[in-house]
Amino acid sequence: VIAMCDDMVKILKQEQVDDDSKKEYCAVQLDQFDDKKKATERSISDSELAITNAEEGISTLTEEIKALAAGIKDLDKSVMTATEQRKQENAEYKELVASDSQAKELLKWAKNRLNKFYNPKMYVAPPKVDTSAGGEAVLVQTFEHKHAQRAQDAPPPPPETWDAYAKKSQESTGVLTMIDLLIKDLDKELTEAETEEKDSQAEYEQLMSDSAEKRTVDSKSLADKEAARADLEAKLEAHKESKAVAGKELMATLKYIQSLHAECDWLLQYYDVRKEARAGEIDSLVKAKAILSGADFSLMQGRGSFRGSA
C-alpha cells in the first residue's frame, strides 16, 4: 500500500509537471500567433490602403492623360486652322498685290497717254516688249496698242482758240491729278497690305513656335503620366496579390488559433483548480503513507503508555 501511495504521488507530480509545461506551451503559442494575427491584419489593412491610393492615383492620372491628349488634339487642330487661315490671307495678299500692281500700271499708262497729248515733255515712249516676256507686260502692251489704235483712228481736234486750249489743259491737269491720287491710294493700300502681311506672318511664325514648344512639353508630360499610370497599375496588382496572400495566411492563423483554444482553453481555465486538487491529493497520500508507516507519534505514544501500565 505504501508503494502504491508513492506511485500515486509520483504520478500526480508528473501530471502537474505536464500541466505546467502545457500551460507554458499554450501561453507562448497563443501569444505568438495572436501577434502573428495582428501583424497579418495590419498587412492586409496596409494593402487595402495601398490599393485605394493606387486606384485613386490611376483614376487621377487617367483624367490628366485624357485632358492632355484632348489638349494636344485641340492644339493640332488650332495649328491646322491657323495654317489654313495664313494660306488664305497670303493668297488674298498676293491677289491684292497683283490686282493693285496691274491697276497702277494701267493708271500710269493712261497718265502717260494723256501726257503725250497734253504734256508731251512728260511723255515716255514705251519700250519694245518681246511678246514672250509674259503676263503683265503683254497685257499692258496689248492695252496700249488698242488705245493707240483708237487714238489714231479718232485724233482729237486742235483747240480753235486760247480759251479752248486753256480749258482742255485744265481738264487734263485735273484728270492727271486724279490719276496721281489713285496711284497714291494704291501705293498706300499696297504698303498697308505689305505691313499687315509681314505682321501676320510674324504672328503666325510665333504661334507655330509656341505651339511646337507646348506640344513638346505636353507630349513629354503625357508620356510621363502614362508611364506613371503603368507603374501604379503594376503596383496595384502587386498590392492585390499581397492582400490575397495575407488573407490566406490570416485564415490559416485563425484556424490554428482556434485549434489552440480547443486544446488549451480547458487546461487554462481549470489549471489552478487542478493544481490545488492535485496538491490536496498528494498531501493526503503523504499523510496516509505516514500513517501506514507508523509515523503517527500520538499513536506510538499511546501504545507505550499502555505497555507500561500492564
Side-chain angles (χ1 to χ4, degrees), residues 77-95:
K77 185 177 180 181
S78 67
V79 167
M80 290 179 62
T81 301
T83 300
E84 290 301 321
Q85 182 179 352
R86 181 84 280 274
K87 288 179 179 179
Q88 182 179 354
E89 290 173 351
N90 182 256
E92 291 173 356
Y93 166 73
K94 290 179 178 178
E95 183 179 354

Side-chain angles (χ1 to χ4, degrees), residues 15-25 271 275:
E15 287 179 353
Q16 186 59 46
V17 170
D18 292 341
D19 280 1
D20 291 341
S21 298
K22 189 64 174 290
K23 180 186 177 184
E24 183 179 0
Y25 163 80
Y271 173 80
K275 182 177 181 180

Side-chain angles (χ1 to χ4, degrees), residues 88-107:
Q88 182 179 354
E89 290 173 351
N90 182 256
E92 291 173 356
Y93 166 73
K94 290 179 178 178
E95 183 179 354
L96 176 65
V97 169
S99 175
D100 284 5
S101 297
Q102 188 178 39
K104 278 179 61 179
E105 291 301 319
L106 291 174
L107 287 171

